[in-house]
Amino acid sequence: DTSPWVRPSPGLQQRIERRAARLPWTHGVERLELVRWFAEIGEPAYEALLKLCQDPRPDVVGSALGALGATGDATLIPVLHELPWPDAEDVELRLERARALLRLGDYSMVPHLIDGLGHDRLMVRALCAQSLYAESHDRFGYLPGGEQEERALAVERWREWWASLATPGERVARADTQ
């Protein structure tokens, strides 16, 4: 076995495999409960979750990323950066990856989250705003459902906040030390 992760017991392995096979066919609360379960299991579930990150369905990949991000395990950062992504042009999937990395302590994709504040879909804007708030503890007047002009002004305040933190190289170094 060459896995760098803690191996689950045979019984837990079976539960992980069954839930991983079921995840693509779930929706709503059932999907959220599975994501929470995987996050609570943590490292023994990483192999299955990383495999789900290669699924061709963006919602499945997003759920796997959500579970990995919810673990808070910073050892996943380089692994997530190395994964080949099935559809790199999928903006929503890129934002979910950015959210997962930020939850793990990697700030390198914060600019993508700030860009996501301008997304057409309210839910995408709300998720980006929530992730940024969790890090900064500020909203800069941004309301995901607010008027477009007000949102645009708040997005500029977010950009100023990001620019004020440090130079790009220092921001990457900060992420590496988290």
Side-chain angles (χ1 to χ4, degrees), residues 73-139:
D73 186 347
T75 62
L76 288 164
I77 293 171
V79 177
L80 291 180
H81 278 290
E82 292 172 7
L83 279 178
W85 295 95
D87 185 1
E89 298 304 314
D90 187 322
V91 172
E92 292 181 28
L93 186 56
R94 186 172 60 238
L95 291 171
E96 189 61 44
R97 180 182 182 193
R99 290 180 65 237
L101 286 166
L102 184 59
R103 289 182 81 183
L104 296 172
D106 182 338
Y107 298 79
S108 65
M109 294 183 75
V110 165
H112 293 293
L113 292 171
I114 294 171
D115 291 344
L117 297 173
H119 197 277
D120 292 340
R121 291 187 51 220
L122 173 62
M123 181 57 78
V124 173
R125 294 193 307 266
L127 289 171
C128 289
Q130 181 271 332
S131 295
L132 291 166
Y133 173 76
E135 174 56 31
S136 69
H137 304 291
D138 201 335
R139 298 190 193 284

